[in-house]
Amino acid sequence: MNCPYCGHYDSKVIDSRDVNDGIRRRRQCLRCEQRFTTYERLQPTSLFVIKKDGRREEFDRDKLLAGIRKACEKRPLTAGTVDGQTDEIEAELYQMGRTEIPGAVIGDMVMARLKKLDHIAYIRFASVYREFEDITMLKEEVDTLANHTTINSADQLPLIPPDEMAVPEKNQRRARR
Ligand SMILES: [Zn+2]
């Protein structure tokens, strides 16, 4: 903090005290000897997720982890993949330096990663997250994936038969009607 009077870069602290959510310091410029006050505040580290209905909820890593883990259940992924993906997304979120973030942004981040990682996990996650209205919407997404599986097909795990696909209960019921 440069001196507000002469612009000198250095000052000494002559008094320091806690105030509400920060620290108030009296400083004296080492060049012109004028005194001035600075306040030091803790940068809020909590991150809030804005939900669809507008409510805010504190970001919860465990919740993110659980969602990804569920999508990746029984998929042939190496140990630590789910944790690693969660760590990376969490780090990315905090690096954005925002205090609030729409849930949809986080959902899209997860989907982008799962899409590269494993198509089944991706479809599972998308089916919950996007709340596919019926089996047609789900099929469209699968078809899109199948059509775009060209360059990366060698890295991708094969799409498994539809009966093994994790269609959420409610969607299954809807589809049978
Ligand atoms: Zn000064």
Side-chain angles (χ1 to χ4, degrees):
M1 171 74 65
N2 293 343
C3 168
Y5 300 99
C6 74
H8 188 62
Y9 65 91
D10 210 359
S11 60
K12 64 176 176 185
V13 176
I14 50 177
D15 184 37
S16 176
R17 67 183 66 176
D18 286 335
V19 284
N20 300 327
D21 55 345
I23 299 169
R24 175 186 182 274
R25 291 190 213 280
R26 279 300 279 167
R27 292 174 181 273
Q28 186 169 29
C29 175
L30 293 181
R31 192 162 78 181
C32 71
E33 296 188 343
Q34 289 272 13
R35 293 178 178 192
F36 56 96
T37 308
T38 57
Y39 290 92
E40 193 175 287
R41 274 198 179 81
L42 196 69
Q43 187 76 16
T45 48
S46 42
L47 177 67
F48 286 86
V49 179
I50 308 166
K51 304 180 74 169
K52 267 186 209 157
D53 59 10
R55 282 187 299 126
R56 280 155 176 75
E57 191 172 83
E58 195 155 359
F59 171 72
D60 184 350
R61 183 190 186 274
D62 290 340
K63 222 170 175 178
L64 176 65
L65 179 69
I68 299 175
R69 184 176 282 157
K70 195 155 194 233
C72 295
E73 209 165 59
K74 292 182 187 161
R75 295 303 301 156
L77 299 168
T78 54
T81 299
V82 171
D83 277 281
Q85 294 291 318
T86 308
D87 286 344
E88 284 177 29
I89 291 171
E90 187 184 23
E92 227 174 285
L93 288 172
Y94 282 109
Q95 273 160 24
M96 286 180 187
R98 294 166 62 168
T99 50
E100 288 186 343
I101 196 145
V105 172
I106 302 176
D108 287 346
M109 283 164 77
V110 176
M111 295 224 294
R113 282 167 180 278
L114 291 182
K115 204 168 189 172
K116 284 187 211 154
L117 203 65
D118 184 277
H119 281 166
I120 300 304
Y122 166 75
I123 284 294
R124 281 176 182 164
F125 188 86
S127 67
V128 175
Y129 170 65
R130 283 200 181 153
E131 296 171 346
F132 291 134
E133 289 297 311
D134 53 35
I135 199 78
T136 315
M137 279 175 71
L138 186 60
K139 186 181 178 299
E140 277 169 14
E141 189 68 36
V142 173
D143 288 347
T144 308
L145 269 184
N147 292 336
H148 286 80
T149 310
T150 46
I151 305 161
N152 293 327
S153 59
D155 313 329
Q156 280 286 352
L157 298 155
L159 280 166
I160 54 172
D163 58 78
E164 280 188 49
M165 199 127 62
V167 180
E169 286 291 321
K170 58 174 184 177
N171 288 352
Q172 282 181 5
R173 278 198 298 275
R174 275 185 202 160
R176 282 193 211 104
R177 267 185 227 143

